[in-house]
Each structure stands twice: as C-alpha cells, then as structure tokens.
C-alpha cells in the first residue's frame, strides 16, 4: 500500500507543501469546508496527484479520528501537514482557541499515535506567537504538557484574561510551538519527527481577509517596513517544509522555524518597534 500524506486545511500553504512531497503517494485532504477541499483536490488531481478528500472539523476529536481512519484505508500515514486554522478576523475568541489551539493539540496527539515509523509532520503556526510577550516557564510548560482535554481550562486561556481575537490567536500559536516540542518526544519513540513553521504575512485568501479587515493597515505596514519589504508566498513556506520533511532535515525535530521576512526582528529591534 502507498504511503499516505495527510493534509488538514485545504488552503494555499497546505497545497504548496503537499505538491512538494506528494508525488507517488496518496494524499488525503481534510477540511471543514468540503468545497475548499474539492477545489484544492481538483487543482492537484489535474496536475497528476492522487487525492482523496473528507470533511473534517479539527475542533472535534471524533472528526479527527474519522479522518485518520479514512486515510488509513489507503496505507500508512507517513507524512502529516496541518495547515488548518482561523484568523483573528474570521472568528471569535472561543472558536480561535477551539480550532487553532485545541484542534492542533489533538491532531498532533492523534496523528502521533498512528504515524508510520520514521514518518514526519509539520504544523503551520504563526509569527504572532513570537510577537507576544513571554509568558514564563510555568505557563509555557502548561501549554506544552497539559492533557488536551484540559487545555482550554487553563487560567491563561480564560476569556477574561484574553484582550481580543488577536491575543487569542497569539496564545494559540504560542501553544502550537510548545505542543510540537512536547509531542516531538512522543513521536521520537517511533523515529518520527514533528516540527512547526511560523510564517509571517503570506498572500493567501486568509491573509487577504486580514488585509481587508480592521487590522488591514497594521498588516500592510508590517510587510512594508520589515527587512524583506514584502509579504511572502505559499511556495516560500513550502521551501521550509520541504527541508523539514526530507532527509536533509533528519536532525530537526521539536523545532519551530520563523519565516516572516524579518517582521519579528523589526518588531523588537527595527522600524516596527512599538513606541
């Protein structure tokens, strides 16, 4: 049976990564919006890839398990790409925490149970988690190690402690990076690897929502005044993922790669530094 590439999140970044590693493999795409999955599947199928799709809501453990069971019909899951999520302009605080934070944690846990020996995964986080102030060792450990079904009960994640949807998103992405570190230790028992990528502003439909949302000017200023002077592309994120998911990245696990055109550096030490 084929090695299976499991992709959650039918968007431009997930597709770009799947196209890099998916040739000769079965690619299974899960997305809550089945129309998104159909659209990405059509593009990839017409380019010669072998794709199956299934509806999946990553805020539900049962939905994640159903997707995994579906994928296993075609072989062993050897590659995992999580590019699912919602942005601060797309959802309220509760949904951001349930999808981006809890959902990612459950995915890492459940895929880790079935990943093929020697397999590899990557999850898409965000520069936002790097821009937020440090939370301290105690909260970092809580985000990393708290059992998934108890995560949303943490004090730091209660709504009265969260300023707005952007703050919720930053907390979710900080948690993603910490969960990857924790789960890398579990995945390593199978010789498998898991890493995260924290992109900056990448031109995707999600980013365009942000450009046209209440923080649009903030984001446009960010890429105009970061060292690269521009937003990135999905293929530039895929360049990083291709390294992490290939033998050339065999010594990299439990890591987060910041790929943001220097925006975070500029936020702390350059033109984007808050007054």
């Amino acid at each position: 049976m084929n090695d299976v590439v499991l992709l959650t999140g039918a968007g431009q970044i997930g597709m770009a990564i799947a196209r890099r590693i998916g040739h000769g493999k079965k690619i299974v795409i899960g997305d809550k919006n089945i129309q998104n999955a159909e659209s990405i599947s059509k593009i990839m199928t017409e380019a010669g890839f072998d794709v199956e799709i299934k509806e999946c809501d990553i805020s539900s453990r049962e939905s994640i398990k159903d997707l995994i069971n579906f994928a296993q019909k075609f072989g062993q899951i050897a590659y995992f790409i999580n590019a699912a999520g919602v942005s601060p302009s797309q959802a309220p605080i509760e949904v951001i925490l349930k999808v981006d934070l809890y959902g990612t944690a459950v995915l890492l846990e459940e895929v880790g149970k079935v990943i093929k020996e020697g397999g590899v995964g990557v999850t898409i986080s965000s520069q936002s988690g790097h821009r937020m102030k440090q939370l301290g060792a105690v909260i970092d450990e809580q985000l990393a190690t708290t059992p998934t079904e108890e995560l949303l009960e943490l004090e730091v994640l209660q709504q009265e402690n969260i300023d707005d949807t952007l703050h919720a998103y930053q907390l979710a992405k900080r948690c993603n990076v910490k969960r990857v570190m924790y789960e890398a230790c579990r995945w390593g028992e199978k010789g498998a690897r898991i890493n995260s990528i924290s992109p900056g502003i990448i031109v995707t439909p999600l980013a365009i929502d942000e450009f046209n949302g209440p923080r649009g000017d903030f984001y446009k200023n960010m890429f105009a005044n970061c060292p690269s002077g521009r937003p990135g592309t999905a293929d530039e994120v895929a360049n990083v993922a291709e390294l992490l998911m290939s033998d050339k990245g065999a010594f990299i696990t439990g890591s987060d790669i910041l790929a943001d055109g220097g925006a975070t550096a500029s936020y702390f030490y350059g033109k984007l530094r808050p007054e």
Side-chain angles (χ1 to χ4, degrees):
M1 299 179 79
N2 284 344
D3 281 345
V4 173
V5 178
L6 178 61
L7 166 61
T8 47
Q12 297 300 313
I13 291 175
M15 178 172 67
I17 297 171
R19 288 173 70 105
R20 296 295 179 89
I21 66 167
H23 42 81
K25 305 175 183 73
K26 175 69 77 172
I27 301 169
V28 175
I29 302 175
D31 197 287
K32 185 176 182 180
N33 186 328
I34 200 67
Q35 286 77 28
N36 288 349
E38 288 170 349
S39 175
I40 295 299
S41 174
K42 181 175 187 294
I43 293 168
M44 294 192 70
T45 299
E46 290 176 353
F49 293 94
D50 182 7
V51 181
E52 302 285 342
I53 63 172
K54 183 172 176 58
E55 187 173 340
C56 178
D57 176 2
I58 71 163
S59 71
S60 161
R61 186 182 292 270
E62 288 309 309
S63 187
I64 287 171
K65 285 183 174 180
D66 286 345
L67 175 65
I68 289 171
N69 290 337
F70 175 75
Q72 288 178 311
K73 293 177 182 178
F74 305 102
Q76 280 191 285
I77 298 171
Y79 302 88
F80 168 59
I81 305 158
N82 175 37
V86 292
S87 80
S89 294
Q90 291 179 318
I93 290 171
E94 182 180 2
V95 173
I96 290 169
L97 295 178
K98 188 73 171 176
V99 174
D100 291 11
L101 189 149
Y102 169 81
T104 296
V106 174
L107 273 169
L108 296 175
E109 179 183 343
E110 292 294 341
V111 175
K113 293 175 183 177
V114 301
I115 191 73
K116 182 179 179 179
E117 185 171 348
V120 63
V122 66
T123 189
I124 301 302
S125 186
S126 169
Q127 64 171 350
S128 283
H130 291 263
R131 256 196 346 268
M132 186 174 59
K133 68 179 182 180
Q134 295 302 309
L135 299 173
V138 172
I139 293 176
D140 278 350
E141 183 165 352
Q142 289 174 344
L143 292 174
T145 66
T146 297
T148 47
E149 295 307 318
E150 299 171 19
L151 257 175
L152 296 178
E153 298 170 14
L154 289 174
E155 183 179 357
V156 70
L157 300 179
Q158 299 315 298
Q159 290 223 13
E160 62 268 22
N161 297 321
I162 298 174
D163 299 333
D164 52 24
T165 57
L166 177 59
H167 187 200
Y169 186 75
Q170 290 174 326
L171 285 164
K173 297 307 181 178
R174 178 70 61 83
C175 184
N176 293 168
V177 171
K178 297 302 176 183
R179 293 309 281 201
V180 161
M181 295 176 72
Y182 174 75
E183 289 293 349
C185 302
R186 283 50 296 124
W187 285 46
E189 294 170 9
K190 297 181 176 180
R193 299 184 295 109
I194 178 69
N195 293 289
S196 59
I197 301 172
S198 288
I201 299 170
I202 307 298
V203 179
T204 65
L206 184 149
I208 291 168
D209 280 349
E210 290 295 320
F211 297 161
N212 295 320
R215 285 179 292 275
D217 289 342
F218 171 81
Y219 286 108
K220 291 171 186 175
N221 178 65
M222 183 183 295
F223 68 68
N225 287 291
C226 72
S228 68
R230 62 173 178 85
T233 66
D235 282 288
E236 289 175 304
V237 179
N239 289 340
V240 179
E242 187 174 24
L243 166 65
L244 293 175
M245 302 186 83
S246 73
D247 289 342
K248 291 180 180 179
F251 199 53
I252 308 172
T253 191
S255 293
D256 178 69
I257 306 298
L258 180 62
D260 68 347
T264 300
S266 187
Y267 181 81
F268 285 106
Y269 308 116
K271 294 178 182 178
L272 294 172
R273 189 169 187 169
E275 295 296 333

